[in-house]
């Protein structure tokens, strides 16, 4: 049985908080224990990060820092199989998915932001002065300081390094709090940090839960200079309240109830492939997934039937088997939440086109599996149409006009992402510009250029990350005015 320790100042240390079990979602069995950090360990981690910031890391030339980030990426890839196994044991997702997305992107983030920090410039302005000699204003970037990184469980390595990589590229130090459900890859990354020569204290990991535990101890700590978080909206609101004490900046990518729009002139095969992934990939545990689907009436019946057939075609089982195409959800608690919404849909009179319950999986009956599910027939105020479920499910509603489709997509307090499927270029531009989201895909889904801004609108978050936008969050701009 594996014990996951905190990683503080380059050492693995047991925490003073309680230990808790780490479950394998495929079987439900306990496969490890996690040693949670108390206040003293969080204090030590923040102190180590501050010392590194004021020490060798803070004094390191950018070129050396970039070289170390590239070694980090190479170090993850060199231990690819270990990271893959750790990610699967934590999440239960199929190896076919994790080996294609989670581990490669987790490593690539360090290379992407190593590149970005080398090309990010600042501004210079010449100005007139009364004596005619003039002045020059120029700006410089400096690290924001010690960053608290609060990570989700759906893409543990990828979304953690999405934050850690730009933070380190900009010269910050970090204290990472992984989800209590997925401690493995953040801990394993500590070994790689030491192996490639990252100075002690630059990267720290504290394990534990949120309220009155490591998460709260970290976000309320006065030594934290900025907080980045991906997760559900209520937790984001709590972090904003904590960050107000000391006026610390936050970057929050929060919940979503994303809408997809399929117009009757869309390439039906392409739309079904893209929407199928958007609804069911990673067992629906993708913040950018589609839980509300609006299909123009001319193709509505045909599309509903075809998507239901796609939902019925997934194979459950051993995540390391090539034939497995869908894994469990993350925990028994989350399985019960998803199934409670399945029950609500049935009670509300939904027409269940596919799924609607928990499958029988030979040899894995203790696992946290739920069926990919497609509903129709519910009103716009039904719980499964308004609430974020974070499971492999979607509700399909017909629409007639472009204006009606846009209005339906915008009828949500959330605004993270959308996908629009149409062959009409003008309609694509009009619709994408009017839907209130942080990212709109046209005839695609989850197609990401990491230089572009990423984040949510409305209740789906605040701030943008990616490319120069990450540089803006992880640095302080300082203006220097020189009188000539």
């Amino acid at each position: 049985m594996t014990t996951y320790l905190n990683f503080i100042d380059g050492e693995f240390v047991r925490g003073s908080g309680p230990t808790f079990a780490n479950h394998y979602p495929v079987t439900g069995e306990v496969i490890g224990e996690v040693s949670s950090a108390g206040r003293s360990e969080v204090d030590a981690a923040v102190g180590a990060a501050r010392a590194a910031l004021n020490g060798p890391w803070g004094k390191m030339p950018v070129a050396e820092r970039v070289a170390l980030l590239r070694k980090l990426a190479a170090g993850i890839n060199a231990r690819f199989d270990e990271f893959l196994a750790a990610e699967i044991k934590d999440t239960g997702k199929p190896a076919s998915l994790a080996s294609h997305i989670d581990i490669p992107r987790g490593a690539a983030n360090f290379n992407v932001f190593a590149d970005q920090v080398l090309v990010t410039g600042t501004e210079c302005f010449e100005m007139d002065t009364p004596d005619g000699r003039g002045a020059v204003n120029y700006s410089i970037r400096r690290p924001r300081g010690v960053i608290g990184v609060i990570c989700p469980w759906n893409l543990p390595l990828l979304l953690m390094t999405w934050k850690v990589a730009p933070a380190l590229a900009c010269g910050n130090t970090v204290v990472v709090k992984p989800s209590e459900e997925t401690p493995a890859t953040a801990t394993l990354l500590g070994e790689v940090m030491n192996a490639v020569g990252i100075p002690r204290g630059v990267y720290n990991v504290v394990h534990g839960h949120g309220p009155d535990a490591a998460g709260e101890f970290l976000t309320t700590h006065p030594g934290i200079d900025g907080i980045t978080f991906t997760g559900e909206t209520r937790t984001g609101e709590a972090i904003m309240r904590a960050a107000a004490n000391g006026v610390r900046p936050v970057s929050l990518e929060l919940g979503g109830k994303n809408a997809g729009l399929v117009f009757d002139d869309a390439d039906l095969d392409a739309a079904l492939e893209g929407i199928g992934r958007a609804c069911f990939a990673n067992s629906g545990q993708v913040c950018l997934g589609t839980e509300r689907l609006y299909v123009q009436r001319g193709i509505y019946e045909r599309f509903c039937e075809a998507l239901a057939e796609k939902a019925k075609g997934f194979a459950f089982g051993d995540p390391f088997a090539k034939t497995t195409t869908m894994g469990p959800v993350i925990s028994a608690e989350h399985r019960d939440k998803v199934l409670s919404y399945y029950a609500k849909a049935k009670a509300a009179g939904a027409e269940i086109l596919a799924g609607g319950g928990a499958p029988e999986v030979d040899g894995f009956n203790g696992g946290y599996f739920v069926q990919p599910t497609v509903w129709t027939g519910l009103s716009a105020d039904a719980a499964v149409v308004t609430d974020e479920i974070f499971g492999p499910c979607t509700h399909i509603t017909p629409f007639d006009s472009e204006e009606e489709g846009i209005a339906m997509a915008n009828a949500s307090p959330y605004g993270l992402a959308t996908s629009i499927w149409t062959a009409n270029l003008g309609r694509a531009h009009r619709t994408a510009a009017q839907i209130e989201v942080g990212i709109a895909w046209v005839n695609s889904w989850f197609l990401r250029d990491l230089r572009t801004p990423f984040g949510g609108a409305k209740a789906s978050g605040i701030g943008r990350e990616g490319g120069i936008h990450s540089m803006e969050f992880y640095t302080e701009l300082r203006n220097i005015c020189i009188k000539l």
Side-chain angles (χ1 to χ4, degrees), residues 117-328:
V117 77
L118 292 176
V119 300
T120 299
T122 55
E123 298 173 320
C124 177
F125 297 97
E126 296 180 85
M127 64 180 292
D128 296 328
T129 57
D131 63 7
R133 293 186 176 182
V136 173
N137 288 273
Y138 65 93
S139 55
I140 58 175
R141 294 187 182 276
R142 291 295 179 264
R144 188 171 291 283
V146 178
I147 307 296
V149 179
I150 317 295
C151 306
W153 46 255
N154 59 327
L155 297 160
L157 180 67
L158 189 160
L159 290 179
M160 183 264 288
T161 61
W162 173 244
K163 300 170 183 298
V164 169
L168 299 191
C170 292
N172 301 280
T173 56
V174 298
V175 181
V176 174
K177 207 292 283 182
S179 167
E180 58 272 18
E181 306 285 0
T182 52
T185 48
T187 308
L188 182 57
L189 186 58
E191 295 183 16
V192 181
M193 292 277 176
N194 282 347
V196 302
I198 300 292
R200 297 162 62 101
V202 171
Y203 173 83
N204 305 274
V205 178
V206 292
H207 292 296
H209 293 77
D212 196 30
E216 182 177 331
F217 303 155
L218 182 60
T219 56
T220 58
H221 198 288
I224 293 294
D225 300 304
I227 303 168
T228 177
F229 167 74
T230 296
E232 59 103 16
T233 299
R234 284 177 300 175
T235 304
E237 292 171 344
I239 288 172
M240 282 194 77
R241 286 191 290 271
N245 186 14
V247 198
R248 280 91 52 78
V250 295
S251 178
L252 306 175
E253 194 252 287
L254 306 178
K257 189 69 176 178
N258 304 309
L261 268 72
V262 184
F263 289 91
D264 58 13
D265 64 347
D267 180 325
L268 196 60
D269 289 339
L272 281 167
E273 191 279 330
I275 290 294
R277 289 192 300 115
C279 296
F280 308 126
N282 200 33
S283 301
Q285 300 168 127
V286 181
C287 57
L288 301 164
T290 300
E291 291 187 359
R292 295 184 295 138
L293 185 56
Y294 302 100
V295 178
Q296 202 159 22
R297 201 173 299 275
I299 60 169
Y300 175 73
E301 296 292 343
R302 197 158 38 121
F303 196 91
C304 288
E305 181 180 347
L307 187 64
E309 286 304 308
K310 186 174 283 290
K312 296 172 185 176
F314 288 94
F316 300 92
D318 182 350
F320 293 96
K322 292 181 179 179
T323 54
T324 299
T325 55
M326 180 161 289

